[in-house]
Amino acid sequence: AQSVTQPDIHITVSEGASLELRCNYSYGATPYLFWYVQSPGQGLQLLLKYFSGDTLVQGIKGFEAEFKRSQSSFNLRKPSVHWSDAAEYFCAVTYTGTASKLTFGTGTRLQVTL
Amino acid sequence: NAGVTQTPKFQVLKTGQSMTLQCAQDMNHEYMSWYRQDPGMGLRLIHYSVGAGITDQGEVPNGYNVSRSTTEDFPLRLLSAAPSQTSVYFCASRPPGQFTEAFFGQGTRLTVV
């Protein structure tokens, strides 16, 4: 079954520090990968997505993600975190043949200290 | 532009009661889905639909029914609520295709006592 794993439940970083959130997808057909962010009490918003091409993808709010097929990973990064980035981040995947089924990971809660 | 609208925002049910969570989208998206969000479990797919008249089960379908009579609406029914169904429920819609963005409603917080 298609799945994504987010190993880190909770991460705390200082404002201005760099950030990396991990995501691993289940190996199989070509994955279509997404990162979403959920601010407290809100729905989810798309940060970025990847299917093919350049393995480093730029998204909104200064986020980027790198696809590494050899590691089945799609990690989210930001060079300098702002206090407003505190939120929960979800990695998600679909595959060819299951396009309508978008599967999410368990999420990583980011806390930013001043 | 309303996007995806969920009603109600909050609901308290007694065990055994039934209710319907409403979801409507005005973007003419063919794909619609229901998720539940629980602490430490992320978003788990309950049911999804690829278009009017077509629905399928997700990871956690037990205790929930859906129907899709129109493109716009995708209601989720709890036939006999249980405390284990206490959760936050999100409806999402997407245009067809593997690489399309999902648009989410604001969620319904359901408590079953």
Side-chain angles (χ1 to χ4, degrees):
Chain A
Q2 64 188 58
S3 66
V4 288
T5 302
Q6 294 181 248
D8 305 306
I9 296 172
H10 185 228
I11 284 182
T12 300
V13 299
S14 300
E15 189 174 40
S18 63
L19 170 70
E20 183 169 24
L21 303 181
R22 295 183 290 166
C23 171
N24 293 96
Y25 62 91
S26 55
Y27 180 79
T30 300
Y32 299 76
L33 293 156
F34 306 80
W35 275 99
Y36 285 82
V37 60
Q38 183 183 35
S39 299
Q42 301 296 312
L44 279 74
Q45 180 186 20
L46 179 68
L47 284 175
L48 48 78
K49 60 183 181 179
Y50 174 81
F51 162 51
S52 66
D54 191 345
T55 56
L56 187 63
V57 181
Q58 302 298 318
I60 62 171
K61 304 186 180 186
F63 285 91
E64 64 181 27
E66 185 172 14
F67 174 72
K68 293 185 178 180
R69 185 179 295 278
S70 61
Q71 298 177 18
S72 298
S73 69
F74 187 56
N75 293 350
L76 182 70
R77 303 196 295 239
K78 188 168 186 178
S80 177
V81 170
H82 188 263
W83 64 266
S84 60
D85 293 324
E88 190 150 21
Y89 292 81
F90 293 93
C91 185
V93 66
T94 65
Y95 289 92
T96 303
T98 61
S100 57
K101 190 176 177 183
L102 182 62
T103 300
F104 285 84
T106 51
T108 297
R109 181 165 298 279
L110 173 66
Q111 183 177 356
V112 180
T113 58
L114 300 177
Chain B
N1 186 4
V4 179
T5 303
Q6 289 184 237
T7 56
K9 288 187 169 51
F10 301 94
Q11 183 71 48
V12 179
L13 286 180
K14 294 183 178 178
T15 298
Q17 285 185 317
S18 63
M19 81 159 296
T20 299
L21 307 185
Q22 301 291 344
C23 176
Q25 52 96 4
D26 61 359
M27 297 172 283
N28 203 33
H29 288 169
E30 293 187 27
Y31 293 174
M32 295 187 76
S33 303
W34 275 103
Y35 295 87
R36 60 177 290 174
Q37 183 177 21
D38 303 289
M41 311 279 293
L43 279 83
R44 290 182 292 169
L45 184 63
I46 305 172
H47 286 284
Y48 60 106
S49 169
V50 299
I54 306 170
T55 64
D56 206 346
Q57 295 182 350
E59 307 166 63
V60 289
N62 292 342
Y64 307 96
N65 281 352
V66 292
S67 60
R68 184 99 178 268
S69 56
T70 67
T71 299
E72 294 78 19
D73 300 300
F74 191 43
L76 179 72
R77 297 183 185 85
L78 285 72
L79 298 179
S80 179
S84 60
Q85 295 178 304
T86 294
S87 187
V88 180
Y89 292 84
F90 286 98
C91 179
S93 74
R94 293 168 57 210
Q98 294 95 336
F99 205 42
T100 57
E101 176 181 356
F103 293 84
F104 285 82
Q106 292 298 297
T108 296
R109 184 174 293 276
L110 175 67
T111 302
V112 183
V113 298

